[in-house]
Amino acid sequence: MFSESLEAGAGAVADHFDMVLSGFADLPVTHAMRYAVTGGKGLRGWLVLESARLHEVPQAQALWPACAIEAIHAYSLVHDDLPCMDDDALRRGLPTVHRKWDEATAVLAGDALQALGFEMLGDPRCHERAEVRADLTLSLARAAGARGMVLGQALDMAAESTATPLTLDEITALQAGKTGALILWSAEAGARLAEADLAPLTAYAQGLGLAFQIADDILDVEGDAATVGKAVGKDADRGKATFVSLLGLDGAKARAQTLVTEACDALSPYGKRADTLREAARFVISRRN
Amino acid sequence: MFSESLEAGAGAVADHFDMVLSGFADLPVTHAMRYAVTGGKGLRGWLVLESARLHEVPQAQALWPACAIEAIHAYSLVHDDLPCMDDDALRRGLPTVHRKWDEATAVLAGDALQALGFEMLGDPRCHERAEVRADLTLSLARAAGARGMVLGQALDMAAESTATPLTLDEITALQAGKTGALILWSAEAGARLAEADLAPLTAYAQGLGLAFQIADDILDVEGDAATVGKAVGKDADRGKATFVSLLGLDGAKARAQTLVTEACDALSPYGKRADTLREAARFVISRRN
C-alpha cells in the first residue's frame, strides 16, 4: 500500500512540476532543473501529501509544498554532486547534472531550484491564507539554510578535514541538519497547512529522519552500486565515522529499528489513519536503494 | 547627500547582518557568508531603505528586506565568481570566497545566503502582516529564479557559447534578468511594505537597472582594475556583445543619460522627497567602480 501511494504521489508531483516548469524559457538550465527533479523516490514530497491527507487538506493545495520540498531536495543533490563537493558521476542511476550538462549549468540549476521552492510556497493556490504561506516559507528557509541542511553539510565537510572521527552525538547532530531538517519539514507540512498541532508529526519525523540516515550508512556497507543507484563503500574508503562504524552493523540495525518503533508510536493521536506513514517508516530501514 | 545616505544605509545593513549572523554556528561557511555580504556598495539594500523611507516605513522594519536583497545579491556574486562560472579572483578589491576558502565553501555559503534572504523576509519583525511578508517573498523568489536573475545568467551563458553576437533587444532582455530583476525588487520593496502603488518605483527602477548595466559595460572599457576592484576589459577580450559594442561609447553614454532622466521623471508623484533616489540614478552613470 505504501509503495503504491509513494508511486502515485511521485506521479502527481511530476505532473505538477510539468505544469509549473512549462512556463519557463527553453534553455539548458531549465532542462537541467526538470531532469534534477525527475526519477527520485519522492519520499519528501510524499510525506507532505500524506501528512496533508491526514488533515483532510486537498491534494491540489498540498502539491505546492510537496513540489517545493522536492525542488529544495533536488537542488541540494545537484550541488552536492559537484566536483568540488562529493564529485559524483551517478545519481539515481543516471549521470549527474554537471556530467550531463556542465558545472556552470549545475550551479545555476541548483540555485534556480532553490528559488523555485520558495516561489511555489508563495503561490496563493498553495493556501489562501497568507499566514500559512508565510509560516511554510519561514520554516523551510530555516530548514534549508545554515541552521538546517547547509549546517549539516558544513559539519560534514569540517569532519572530513579533521583526523578525529566524530562521536555518536556529533554524527546525530550532523544528520539532524543534513537529512533530518527537510524530512522534518515535509512531515510537518500537512499540519502547517491545516494549522493543527505539529507535535505528533514532529516526533514521527525525528525518528524517521535518523532511521533514514542510519539505513543509508548500512546500505553504503551492504549494498551494491547497481541496486543503490550511486557509488557505495565510499565512507569506509575515506575512514569516515558513520553510524555503522560507531555502533557496528547489528547495533546500527537495532538502533534504526527502535527509532522506527518510536516514530510509529508517535502517530497514535491519528489512529489507523496514519498506517501508511507507519509503513513508510518501516520501509526506509528495509529498502535496498 | 546620496553618498552619505548610501554609506549610512550600508552601515545599518552591516549591523543588522551582525545581529542576524551572530546566531549561527562558528564554521567556515558562516564566516564566508559574513565576508560575502561585507564591503559592497550596498546599492540594493539602500534602495529598499530609501523607498521605505519615502513611504514612512520605519527603518527597523525595512532593514529586513534590505538585508534579504543584499544576501541574495551576495550569493549570486559568490556563485558567479566560481571557476566554472566567471572564474574571478577579485571581488570588491579582495579575494573571492572560493579563493579565500575553497570552492565547496563558496557553493555552500551561496546556497545558505539564498535561504537566509528568504528567512529574513519571513521574520515577523519585517512586517506584522503576513500578507506583506508573503508578497515580498513571492516577488523575490520570482526575481531571483529562472524567470529573473538566473534566467539572465543562463542567457548570458548561452550567448557565450554561440558565435552570433546578441542584438540590442537580446542584451536588454538578458540585462533585465541578470541585474535588473533585483534592482527592480529593491526599489519596489518600500511600496510593498507600505502596501502602496508600485508604479512610480517600477518605472524608476527599470530605467535605473538598465542604466546601471550600461555604466558597467562602459567601466569595463574605460576603467582600470585597481579603481573598479575587479578585472576589466574582459568583455572585449571575449568578443562579447555589450551596450558599448552595439551603441558605441558615446551612444552608450547618451542612452544611459536618457534612461536616468526618465527614471528621475518617473518619481514625480513623490516630489522633492525623492531627490536622493534621483541623485542615486545620476550617480550610477558617473561612478568609477
Short mmCIF file of all heavy atoms in Angstrom, two decimals, chain A residues 29 32-33 36 71-72 74-79 97 103-117, chain B residues 75 79 111 114 150:
data_model
loop_
_atom_site.label_atom_id
_atom_site.label_comp_id
_atom_site.label_asym_id
_atom_site.label_seq_id
_atom_site.Cartn_x
_atom_site.Cartn_y
_atom_site.Cartn_z
N VAL A 29 19.48 25.40 -18.64
CA VAL A 29 19.29 25.46 -17.19
C VAL A 29 17.89 24.97 -16.79
O VAL A 29 17.74 24.28 -15.77
CB VAL A 29 19.57 26.88 -16.63
CG1 VAL A 29 18.51 27.88 -17.05
CG2 VAL A 29 19.71 26.86 -15.12
N ALA A 32 17.82 21.21 -17.18
CA ALA A 32 18.55 20.59 -16.07
C ALA A 32 17.71 20.61 -14.79
O ALA A 32 17.74 19.66 -14.00
CB ALA A 32 19.88 21.32 -15.85
N MET A 33 16.93 21.66 -14.60
CA MET A 33 16.04 21.72 -13.44
C MET A 33 15.03 20.57 -13.49
O MET A 33 14.80 19.88 -12.49
CB MET A 33 15.28 23.05 -13.40
CG MET A 33 16.14 24.26 -13.06
SD MET A 33 15.29 25.85 -13.37
CE MET A 33 14.11 25.89 -12.01
N ALA A 36 16.65 17.27 -12.83
CA ALA A 36 17.06 17.08 -11.43
C ALA A 36 15.88 16.71 -10.53
O ALA A 36 16.07 16.05 -9.50
CB ALA A 36 17.71 18.36 -10.90
N ALA A 71 11.91 20.34 -4.88
CA ALA A 71 12.81 21.28 -5.56
C ALA A 71 14.02 21.58 -4.69
O ALA A 71 15.17 21.59 -5.17
CB ALA A 71 12.07 22.57 -5.92
N ILE A 72 13.79 21.82 -3.40
CA ILE A 72 14.90 22.12 -2.49
C ILE A 72 15.82 20.89 -2.35
O ILE A 72 17.04 21.00 -2.38
CB ILE A 72 14.37 22.53 -1.10
CG1 ILE A 72 13.51 23.81 -1.19
CG2 ILE A 72 15.50 22.69 -0.09
CD1 ILE A 72 14.27 25.08 -1.44
N ALA A 74 16.20 18.47 -4.52
CA ALA A 74 16.90 18.28 -5.79
C ALA A 74 18.06 19.26 -5.93
O ALA A 74 19.16 18.89 -6.37
CB ALA A 74 15.93 18.44 -6.96
N TYR A 75 17.84 20.52 -5.54
CA TYR A 75 18.93 21.50 -5.63
C TYR A 75 20.11 21.04 -4.77
O TYR A 75 21.28 21.15 -5.19
CB TYR A 75 18.46 22.91 -5.23
CG TYR A 75 19.12 23.49 -4.02
CD1 TYR A 75 20.49 23.79 -4.01
CD2 TYR A 75 18.41 23.72 -2.83
CE1 TYR A 75 21.11 24.29 -2.87
CE2 TYR A 75 19.02 24.21 -1.70
CZ TYR A 75 20.38 24.49 -1.72
OH TYR A 75 21.00 24.97 -0.60
N SER A 76 19.82 20.53 -3.57
CA SER A 76 20.91 20.14 -2.68
C SER A 76 21.69 18.96 -3.27
O SER A 76 22.92 18.89 -3.12
CB SER A 76 20.39 19.81 -1.28
OG SER A 76 19.79 18.53 -1.24
N LEU A 77 21.00 18.05 -3.96
CA LEU A 77 21.70 16.93 -4.58
C LEU A 77 22.57 17.39 -5.75
O LEU A 77 23.71 16.94 -5.91
CB LEU A 77 20.69 15.88 -5.08
CG LEU A 77 19.80 15.24 -4.00
CD1 LEU A 77 18.88 14.20 -4.64
CD2 LEU A 77 20.62 14.62 -2.89
N VAL A 78 22.03 18.29 -6.57
CA VAL A 78 22.79 18.79 -7.73
C VAL A 78 24.09 19.46 -7.25
O VAL A 78 25.16 19.21 -7.82
CB VAL A 78 21.94 19.78 -8.56
CG1 VAL A 78 22.78 20.46 -9.63
CG2 VAL A 78 20.75 19.05 -9.19
N HIS A 79 23.99 20.28 -6.21
CA HIS A 79 25.20 20.94 -5.70
C HIS A 79 26.12 19.96 -4.97
O HIS A 79 27.34 20.03 -5.10
CB HIS A 79 24.82 22.13 -4.81
CG HIS A 79 24.37 23.33 -5.58
ND1 HIS A 79 24.08 24.55 -5.00
CD2 HIS A 79 24.16 23.51 -6.91
CE1 HIS A 79 23.71 25.42 -5.94
NE2 HIS A 79 23.74 24.81 -7.10
N VAL A 97 23.90 16.04 -12.97
CA VAL A 97 23.64 17.21 -13.82
C VAL A 97 24.91 17.79 -14.42
O VAL A 97 24.97 18.10 -15.61
CB VAL A 97 22.84 18.30 -13.06
CG1 VAL A 97 22.77 19.59 -13.87
CG2 VAL A 97 21.42 17.80 -12.74
N GLU A 103 29.36 22.11 -15.26
CA GLU A 103 29.31 22.58 -13.87
C GLU A 103 28.53 23.89 -13.71
O GLU A 103 27.79 24.06 -12.75
CB GLU A 103 30.72 22.80 -13.33
CG GLU A 103 31.43 21.52 -12.98
CD GLU A 103 32.80 21.81 -12.41
OE1 GLU A 103 32.89 22.58 -11.43
OE2 GLU A 103 33.79 21.30 -12.96
N ALA A 104 28.71 24.80 -14.65
CA ALA A 104 28.03 26.09 -14.54
C ALA A 104 26.51 25.90 -14.58
O ALA A 104 25.77 26.50 -13.79
CB ALA A 104 28.48 27.03 -15.66
N THR A 105 26.06 25.03 -15.49
CA THR A 105 24.62 24.76 -15.57
C THR A 105 24.13 24.09 -14.28
O THR A 105 23.02 24.39 -13.81
CB THR A 105 24.33 23.86 -16.79
OG1 THR A 105 24.78 24.54 -17.97
CG2 THR A 105 22.85 23.58 -16.93
N ALA A 106 24.95 23.24 -13.69
CA ALA A 106 24.56 22.58 -12.44
C ALA A 106 24.44 23.59 -11.29
O ALA A 106 23.50 23.53 -10.49
CB ALA A 106 25.56 21.48 -12.09
N VAL A 107 25.40 24.52 -11.22
CA VAL A 107 25.33 25.55 -10.17
C VAL A 107 24.05 26.38 -10.35
O VAL A 107 23.27 26.56 -9.40
CB VAL A 107 26.57 26.47 -10.20
CG1 VAL A 107 26.38 27.68 -9.30
CG2 VAL A 107 27.82 25.69 -9.79
N LEU A 108 23.81 26.84 -11.57
CA LEU A 108 22.64 27.70 -11.83
C LEU A 108 21.33 26.95 -11.65
O LEU A 108 20.36 27.51 -11.11
CB LEU A 108 22.70 28.24 -13.26
CG LEU A 108 23.57 29.46 -13.51
CD1 LEU A 108 23.43 29.90 -14.97
CD2 LEU A 108 23.20 30.61 -12.58
N ALA A 109 21.26 25.70 -12.13
CA ALA A 109 20.02 24.93 -12.00
C ALA A 109 19.69 24.72 -10.52
O ALA A 109 18.53 24.85 -10.11
CB ALA A 109 20.13 23.59 -12.72
N GLY A 110 20.72 24.43 -9.71
CA GLY A 110 20.50 24.28 -8.27
C GLY A 110 20.01 25.58 -7.66
O GLY A 110 19.04 25.60 -6.90
N ASP A 111 20.65 26.67 -8.01
CA ASP A 111 20.24 27.99 -7.49
C ASP A 111 18.78 28.29 -7.86
O ASP A 111 18.01 28.78 -7.03
CB ASP A 111 21.14 29.08 -8.07
CG ASP A 111 22.55 29.03 -7.50
OD1 ASP A 111 22.77 28.35 -6.47
OD2 ASP A 111 23.45 29.67 -8.09
N ALA A 112 18.42 28.01 -9.11
CA ALA A 112 17.06 28.30 -9.57
C ALA A 112 16.04 27.38 -8.90
O ALA A 112 14.91 27.80 -8.63
CB ALA A 112 16.98 28.17 -11.08
N LEU A 113 16.43 26.14 -8.64
CA LEU A 113 15.52 25.22 -7.96
C LEU A 113 15.25 25.69 -6.53
O LEU A 113 14.13 25.55 -6.03
CB LEU A 113 16.08 23.80 -7.94
CG LEU A 113 15.91 23.02 -9.25
CD1 LEU A 113 16.73 21.73 -9.22
CD2 LEU A 113 14.43 22.69 -9.50
N GLN A 114 16.27 26.25 -5.87
CA GLN A 114 16.01 26.76 -4.52
C GLN A 114 14.99 27.91 -4.58
O GLN A 114 14.02 27.94 -3.83
CB GLN A 114 17.29 27.21 -3.81
CG GLN A 114 16.98 27.76 -2.44
CD GLN A 114 18.14 27.91 -1.45
OE1 GLN A 114 17.91 28.05 -0.27
NE2 GLN A 114 19.37 27.89 -1.92
N ALA A 115 15.20 28.84 -5.50
CA ALA A 115 14.25 29.96 -5.63
C ALA A 115 12.86 29.44 -5.99
O ALA A 115 11.84 29.93 -5.46
CB ALA A 115 14.75 30.93 -6.70
N LEU A 116 12.80 28.43 -6.86
CA LEU A 116 11.51 27.87 -7.27
C LEU A 116 10.76 27.27 -6.08
O LEU A 116 9.54 27.39 -5.97
CB LEU A 116 11.71 26.81 -8.37
CG LEU A 116 10.44 26.15 -8.89
CD1 LEU A 116 9.50 27.16 -9.53
CD2 LEU A 116 10.77 25.03 -9.88
N GLY A 117 11.50 26.63 -5.18
CA GLY A 117 10.88 26.08 -3.98
C GLY A 117 10.14 27.16 -3.21
O GLY A 117 8.96 26.99 -2.84
N TYR B 75 24.95 36.14 -2.64
CA TYR B 75 25.01 34.73 -3.06
C TYR B 75 25.28 34.65 -4.56
O TYR B 75 26.08 33.82 -5.02
CB TYR B 75 23.72 33.98 -2.68
CG TYR B 75 22.91 33.45 -3.84
CD1 TYR B 75 23.41 32.44 -4.67
CD2 TYR B 75 21.66 33.98 -4.16
CE1 TYR B 75 22.68 31.99 -5.77
CE2 TYR B 75 20.93 33.53 -5.24
CZ TYR B 75 21.46 32.54 -6.05
OH TYR B 75 20.76 32.11 -7.15
N HIS B 79 28.59 32.73 -6.33
CA HIS B 79 28.48 31.66 -7.32
C HIS B 79 29.00 32.10 -8.70
O HIS B 79 29.65 31.32 -9.39
CB HIS B 79 27.03 31.15 -7.41
CG HIS B 79 26.64 30.27 -6.25
ND1 HIS B 79 25.44 29.61 -6.18
CD2 HIS B 79 27.32 29.93 -5.13
CE1 HIS B 79 25.38 28.89 -5.05
NE2 HIS B 79 26.50 29.08 -4.40
N ASP B 111 24.56 29.09 -1.25
CA ASP B 111 23.27 28.41 -1.01
C ASP B 111 22.63 28.89 0.28
O ASP B 111 21.41 29.15 0.33
CB ASP B 111 23.49 26.90 -0.94
CG ASP B 111 23.84 26.28 -2.28
OD1 ASP B 111 23.63 26.95 -3.32
OD2 ASP B 111 24.32 25.14 -2.30
N GLN B 114 21.19 32.41 0.05
CA GLN B 114 19.88 32.48 -0.60
C GLN B 114 18.77 32.12 0.40
O GLN B 114 17.77 32.84 0.52
CB GLN B 114 19.79 31.59 -1.84
CG GLN B 114 18.41 31.66 -2.46
CD GLN B 114 18.26 31.14 -3.88
OE1 GLN B 114 17.28 31.48 -4.53
NE2 GLN B 114 19.16 30.35 -4.39
N VAL B 150 18.42 34.30 -12.54
CA VAL B 150 19.06 33.10 -13.11
C VAL B 150 18.79 33.00 -14.61
O VAL B 150 19.65 32.55 -15.37
CB VAL B 150 18.62 31.81 -12.37
CG1 VAL B 150 19.12 30.58 -13.09
CG2 VAL B 150 19.12 31.81 -10.93
#
